[in-house]
Amino acid sequence: MVSENIESVKRNIYEACNNCGRDPDSVKLIAVSKMKPSEMIMEAYDHGCRSFGENYVQELLQKSDELPPDIEWHMIGHLQRNKVKYVVGRVALIHSVDTLRLAKEINDRSAVKGITSEILAEVNVAGEEKKYGFDTDSVMGFVQEVSSLKNIVLNGLMTSAPYVTDPEENRRFFKILRELSVDIDKKNIDNVKMRELSMGMTGDYKVAIEEGATMVRVGTAIFGARDYGGIS
Ligand SMILES: *Cc1c(COP(=O)(O)O)cnc(C)c1O
């Protein structure tokens, strides 16, 4: 099941790249394994997946303890400052940095460990009320501030577009994120390199790729629907 799903997601990535003349190797597939058991992750692993995304710190740490050490973990969920100390040094990239205070905490904890942490700034492009992330107007200010923090590198931007039935509706949001990253890059700020655009989920990753995504975060299309057991 999981391996067939991965094959079909990879075919779609390949097709989307073909549609817009991109190299399929320029898009990283992050398999979002939140609320899915380690056995399923191992199925994906055995099929060649090495990058997994998790939303909850506890779950991420537990899985990273018991699964192979060559897995690259991506923190994609909302991160509280009091949990930063557990995550720093354990993940390849924190996608969901949404305040300067959080960035400072990641910086301080990284300094203590003598490492540099890679982060993305999460942007709430559609301005959805209940979503985390900077609004598009405040990203530039954040970027300027982050450049003075020596133990983090801002590697790009991340967004979660609204849930829609027609992915075309999200194209404009992906365009906005891409334009933002181009504007930021032009400023040549220390510690800031807009290498990554983390955008696109099960419902809209093909459109996101056409608009320049370098990382797509795909859960349901690989592991099936999640069972929130009544909580959401
Ligand atoms: C759960 C989640 C995903 C994966 O969503 P699917 O629709 O299952 O592909 C991607 N990004 C974030 C931030 C998530 O929380």
Side-chain angles (χ1 to χ4, degrees), residues 32 34 55 76 158 160 163 201-203 217-221 226:
V32 175
K34 61 168 176 253
N55 287 57
I76 64 172
M158 177 271 219
S160 297
Y163 281 102
M201 302 166 39
T202 291
R217 310 180 308 268
V218 180
T220 308
R226 288 174 293 273

